[in-house]
Amino acid sequence: MNAPLPDVPEVRVVGLPQLTTGFDLVERLDLAMHLKVHGPLEPMTGERLAELAEAISLRGRGGAGFPFGKKMRAVAKASIRRGVRPVVVINGSEGEPACRKDTVLLNRAPHLILDGALLAAEALGARTLVVAVTRNSTEVSVRAALAERGLSDRRGQQLRARVVRTPERMVSGEASSVIRAANGGPAMPPGRRERAAETGVGGSPTLLSNAETYAQLAVAARIGPRRYGHTGLPNEPGTVLLTVSGAVARPMVIEVPTGVPLRYILQLAGAPPLPQGVLTGGYHGNWIDAVASHNAVISRESLATVGGALGAGAILPIGPETCPLGESLRIANWLAAETAGQCGPCKLGLPAAAGGLSDVLNGGGPAALEALREVTQAVKGRGACKHPDGSARFLMSTLSAFTDDLAAHVLDGGCGRETLGVLPLPASGYQDLEESIPSGEKLAVDWTLCQGHGLCADIVPELIRLGPDGYPAVADASVPMHLRGRAQRAVRRCPALALRIEQPAAEQRPALPAVTRRALGSAPHRSRPTTNPPGHPIRVARFFTWILWS
């Protein structure tokens, strides 16, 4: 089986680099090196920036492909109409196991992304910047980059910038999930769909786009639309970042101009000469066969013509030695487990679809195949987010792309090949708590006050679980930086005033990497008091608790 992809795999480039300029010089471009490599960036008005995005046909690089200029104009219009300042959000959440392009950019060239986002923020008059990330290494890099620019979330600054950590899950990168997380809630889609351009972070119009999209905007703002258009196809100019994995000798992130043949990219990564199939666009994408992969070029239009999808830029070939339906079943089971559990089509439909594919593989015959088609069609267009639609698209593409194998399983009981597991999946679920950046603080419970209300476990379940007796069991671990806000909220909302945050002595505080110390800064974090002041009588706490709950 293939091991999970590292946070930052090998990076290659075809032609002249744009997004990856300077990667051959240093491992990470700090602000000084970034300015040496890319040079300064002049501010632009909102109209000029929107015109630039339209001139280079800039579309979102997170999967949906919405025109950036159109999105920017919608945010500006809503902001003017409502008389409120908008918010700019960098969506660096990358919860799909087959995608690493945004993680590579945020880890190695964070200032290029910040350039584009700050350009948009200044053009729109925004006073808030939010960066959403999923991985520990990415959070460290982004915090360091913000610190290098003197940006923080402190009051009084012209622009307040903060980092939001989302779980490493498929649904966490969805736009509404990111906005909900930025608003202090769980990183899950809400029950209703709202346009971020109208109502986003804090209820304000929000410009939310993918990390690579902002980096592309920064490149175009420096070199201009004419020079930018000299690279790639006339109707889709510039370069794209791809994550190539699966049955390849060298998993990599590669920057390529649009128009480069897909077969060349596969050859560069060491894919089989005649792949049995190539999954394009990631686990919400489409399969194409060997003939289509030989004829297609890297572009949104070309891949769509042969039945593929550019999507989030993931390219995954599989060789002839593995069962393609078995490989797809592994992904279908993972997609079913990634449901947020909030709506029936996702919570019930996706496990049923994965079970249907399993029945087909295990000799269920034509009846099992027909049942699979029915349940897959039933989940489309009925979820709270696009996860059911993307998962259904993947399953339907599987049935269409591997008709010979499907016939062998339905009519003959199998294709005779094992499932080798060449498509990457997480090794052990979601990121462990110990891998997060520690704050040095710990949650503690005063058992003389605790009454087992359980609100704390609802607010921060990563750190507090309810035991069999209904009382909280607190993790004996440092509160991670990305959970600090929720931990403080749990302390404030404890009805019995029994929960507190303990500050360790200086000599007991964990040593952080230098880059983390620079990212976090040396100033103490100021927040509302989380412990009772000295001499505060416990009877006062008991009195107010009695008033609230009697």
Side-chain angles (χ1 to χ4, degrees):
M1 283 194 176
N2 274 13
L5 291 176
D7 280 9
V8 182
E10 176 187 355
V11 179
R12 301 286 296 272
V13 61
V14 174
L16 296 177
Q18 290 186 353
L19 303 176
T20 59
T21 301
F23 280 24
D24 57 333
L25 302 175
V26 292
E27 198 64 28
R28 178 185 180 274
L29 281 77
D30 60 13
L31 183 57
M33 180 59 74
H34 167 75
L35 292 175
K36 287 181 181 178
V37 170
H38 292 283
L41 184 60
E42 297 295 327
M44 302 175 67
T45 64
E47 182 61 28
R48 281 189 59 205
L49 196 59
E51 289 176 352
L52 172 66
E54 291 166 350
I56 64 172
S57 302
L58 181 60
R59 291 176 172 266
R61 301 299 176 91
F66 194 83
F68 184 84
K70 186 176 181 180
K71 183 185 294 187
M72 189 174 175
R73 291 182 188 278
V75 172
K77 185 180 295 185
S79 179
I80 293 171
R81 185 180 70 251
R82 295 177 53 192
V84 297
R85 291 190 180 274
V87 176
V88 174
V89 177
I90 300 172
N91 188 0
S93 298
E94 206 166 36
E96 185 171 342
C99 293
R100 289 294 185 275
K101 67 179 183 68
D102 293 323
T103 301
V104 164
L105 276 181
L106 287 164
N107 275 272
R108 300 196 60 181
H111 289 286
L112 192 62
I113 300 167
L114 290 177
D115 275 349
L118 293 174
L119 201 64
E122 186 168 353
L124 291 170
R127 292 292 179 264
T128 302
L129 172 67
V130 178
V131 187
V133 298
T134 56
R135 296 183 176 88
N136 179 59
S137 62
T138 310
E139 182 181 1
V140 170
S141 177
V142 171
R143 288 188 182 276
L146 293 176
E148 289 163 4
R149 289 177 180 254
L151 296 173
S152 71
D153 197 24
R154 296 174 186 167
R155 293 182 179 179
Q157 289 199 337
Q158 186 176 4
L159 177 73
R160 298 179 64 176
R162 58 190 172 97
V163 179
V164 172
R165 184 75 173 263
T166 61
E168 197 170 330
R169 300 195 60 186
M170 191 75 165
V171 296
S172 299
E174 204 264 342
S176 62
S177 298
V178 172
I179 290 174
R180 195 174 179 187
N183 285 331
M188 295 190 297
R192 63 187 184 279
R193 296 185 181 182
E194 293 182 342
R195 293 181 61 212
E198 295 287 341
T199 305
V201 177
S204 301
T206 299
L207 179 66
L208 184 149
S209 202
N210 170 262
E212 184 193 343
T213 312
Y214 287 112
Q216 295 282 1
L217 186 68
V219 169
R222 280 185 168 89
I223 66 178
R226 179 173 298 180
R227 185 177 163 194
Y228 187 94
H230 289 166
T231 301
L233 299 171
N235 59 335
E236 295 183 40
T239 65
V240 296
L241 280 180
L242 304 173
T243 310
V244 187
S245 63
V248 297
R250 299 175 299 279
M252 63 178 63
V253 168
I254 181 169
E255 182 181 10
V256 300
T258 54
V260 171
L262 175 58
R263 63 180 181 274
Y264 178 72
I265 304 303
L266 297 176
Q267 181 183 0
L268 195 64
L274 287 175
Q276 186 175 189
V278 179
L279 182 58
T280 58
Y283 294 160
H284 276 176
N286 294 329
W287 288 100
I288 60 176
D289 59 23
V291 175
S293 66
H294 183 80
N295 296 329
V297 300
I298 301 299
S299 80
R300 192 177 303 275
E301 182 179 340
S302 173
L303 288 171
T305 300
V306 297
L310 183 59
I315 305 294
L316 301 108
I318 60 173
E321 66 281 352
T322 189
C323 173
L325 298 183
E327 294 287 345
S328 297
L329 177 60
R330 292 176 60 247
I331 306 307
N333 285 328
W334 179 80
L335 290 171
E338 287 296 285
T339 172
Q342 297 185 126
C343 58
C346 201
K347 183 179 180 180
L348 304 177
L350 295 188
L357 182 57
S358 178
D359 290 342
V360 170
L361 265 68
N362 292 318
L369 177 59
E370 184 59 30
L372 171 60
R373 294 186 188 278
E374 289 181 3
V375 71
T376 303
Q377 287 290 341
V379 303
K380 292 174 62 177
R382 299 174 57 204
C385 69
K386 296 296 185 181
H387 182 53
D389 293 353
S391 302
R393 180 166 54 248
F394 168 79
L395 285 167
M396 294 303 295
S397 173
T398 299
L399 300 183
S400 301
F402 304 108
T403 53
D404 292 344
D405 295 270
L406 189 63
H409 281 277
V410 171
L411 303 176
D412 299 330
C415 65
R417 287 172 292 180
E418 296 182 3
T419 300
L420 301 181
V422 298
L423 299 181
L425 286 176
S428 57
Y430 313 124
Q431 198 163 17
D432 294 331
L433 179 64
E434 291 75 12
E435 294 182 0
S436 301
I437 300 175
S439 66
E441 302 168 340
K442 285 189 176 183
L443 284 173
V445 177
D446 184 340
W447 297 111
T448 65
L449 297 177
C450 182
Q451 299 177 11
H453 294 112
L455 291 180
C456 54
D458 292 335
I459 297 172
V460 60
E462 296 90 343
L463 297 172
I464 302 174
R465 304 285 176 87
L466 293 183
D469 57 358
Y471 281 79
V474 182
D476 186 20
S478 176
V479 176
M481 288 298 300
H482 70 281
L483 294 179
R484 202 178 186 193
R486 279 200 279 155
Q488 291 169 346
R489 188 161 70 251
V491 169
R492 293 194 297 266
R493 293 186 61 183
C494 177
L497 305 180
L499 188 66
R500 65 179 184 270
I501 293 179
E502 293 183 339
Q503 302 284 347
E507 65 273 8
Q508 294 176 337
R509 290 175 185 167
L512 300 179
V515 65
T516 306
R517 292 197 298 272
R518 290 197 302 270
L520 303 182
S522 57
H525 179 82
R526 296 184 179 179
S527 61
R528 294 176 58 181
T530 56
T531 57
N532 293 330
H536 182 76
I538 292 180
R539 63 178 179 272
V540 175
R542 293 188 187 277
F543 172 75
F544 281 109
T545 302
W546 178 79
I547 291 293
L548 288 169
W549 292 92
S550 61

